[in-house]
């Protein structure tokens, strides 16, 4: 059963872009993508190759006519919560990638920190697209800093799990998360929505 919470708090021990392309419309089946990229740069599968040059990674390539991309650009965030041994995997949809990038650049790296050196709070905020459809967008805030000793331990932990986190394949669950957050109308009255 899914865990319903108003916010997630923990240390981001890894994060990276992932891209996935399904030639058919999402049907809810667990089909793997025809092409996937674990770094947002090189796709493996059909069509494969450079993501930057791929026609499916261009705005307007989505066959639904929304002006989006046929290739789904997502960003994975691994959040280690207090008292847990393994991080929680969050797959951010396209609508939450820019807020995350701004958070990392301005609130973390811009202050001389790394993502594993601060405690991050993640909430959802109501937003609306140009067609008037409401959706939830992830919001990020620094709510604490780790001590130098804790940061050193977190850095070692982050380094040790990258061999695993960077090899977890993209599947339909990633896409379903993206569609739920991005395409399904917002159905709550609160500014912040539960995960």
């Amino acid at each position: 059963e899914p865990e319903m919470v108003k916010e997630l708090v923990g240390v981001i021990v890894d994060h990276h872009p992932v891209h996935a392309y399904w030639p058919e419309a999402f049907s809810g089946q667990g089909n793997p993508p025809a092409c996937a990229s674990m770094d947002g740069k090189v796709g493996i599968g059909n069509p494969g190759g450079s993501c930057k040059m791929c026609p499916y990674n261009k705005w307007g390539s989505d066959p639904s006519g929304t002006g989006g991309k046929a290739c789904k650009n997502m960003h994975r965030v691994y959040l280690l919560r207090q008292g847990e041994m393994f991080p929680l995997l969050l797959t951010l949809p396209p609508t939450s990638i820019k807020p995350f990038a701004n958070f990392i650049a301005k609130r973390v790296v811009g202050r001389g920190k790394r993502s594993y050196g601060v405690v991050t709070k993640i909430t959802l905020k109501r937003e609306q697209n140009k067609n008037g459809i409401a959706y939830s967008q992830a919001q990020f805030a620094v709510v604490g800093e780790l001590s130098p000793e804790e940061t050193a331990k977190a850095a070692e932990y982050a380094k040790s799990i990258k061999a695993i986190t960077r090899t977890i394949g993209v599947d339909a669950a990633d896409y379903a998360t993206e569609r739920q957050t991005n395409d399904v109308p917002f159905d709550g009255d609160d500014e912040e929505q539960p995960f």
Side-chain angles (χ1 to χ4, degrees):
E1 292 183 17
E3 178 183 357
M4 299 294 283
V5 295
K6 286 280 188 182
E7 63 186 30
L8 295 171
V9 178
V11 175
I12 296 173
V13 292
D14 193 16
H15 64 91
H16 62 92
V18 292
H19 294 177
Y21 169 66
W22 283 269
E24 297 87 25
F26 183 71
S27 64
Q29 300 297 319
N31 299 332
C35 183
S37 171
M38 297 307 296
D39 61 4
K41 296 177 182 176
V42 178
I44 306 297
N46 185 12
S50 169
C51 293
K52 187 175 182 179
M53 304 305 293
C54 181
Y56 298 119
N57 197 32
K58 305 287 183 205
W59 292 106
S61 62
D62 187 345
S64 70
T66 61
K69 297 179 179 183
C71 182
K72 304 304 176 193
N73 296 174
M74 301 166 280
H75 199 91
R76 285 186 169 169
V77 175
Y78 297 86
L79 187 76
L80 184 62
R81 298 188 288 180
Q82 187 173 12
E84 296 185 0
M85 292 181 60
F86 301 105
L88 177 67
L89 167 58
L90 303 173
T91 303
L92 302 179
T95 54
S96 294
I97 292 174
K98 187 173 181 179
F100 180 73
N102 287 340
F103 165 73
I104 292 294
K106 296 175 182 175
R107 303 284 180 236
V108 180
V109 175
R111 295 183 178 178
K113 301 287 183 183
R114 301 294 299 260
S115 66
Y116 52 73
V118 298
V119 179
T120 299
K121 178 172 76 170
I122 307 171
T123 57
L124 294 177
K125 178 182 173 188
R126 180 184 175 144
E127 289 292 342
Q128 195 171 33
N129 72 12
K130 63 183 177 184
N131 297 324
I133 297 173
Y135 62 91
S136 296
Q137 182 184 71
Q139 302 292 299
F140 305 86
V142 173
V143 293
E145 293 186 6
L146 275 62
S147 69
E149 296 80 17
E150 291 169 328
T151 300
K153 287 180 183 177
E156 193 62 35
Y157 179 87
K159 183 179 176 183
S160 71
I161 66 163
K162 281 186 181 180
I164 299 168
T165 59
R166 301 298 175 104
T167 60
I168 299 172
V170 181
D171 62 23
D174 289 292
Y175 183 57
T177 300
E178 188 268 340
R179 288 190 48 92
Q180 289 167 3
T181 306
N182 194 23
D183 297 342
V184 175
F186 184 94
D187 59 1
D189 296 325
D190 297 332
E191 277 298 303
E192 293 182 356
Q193 290 297 297
F195 284 87

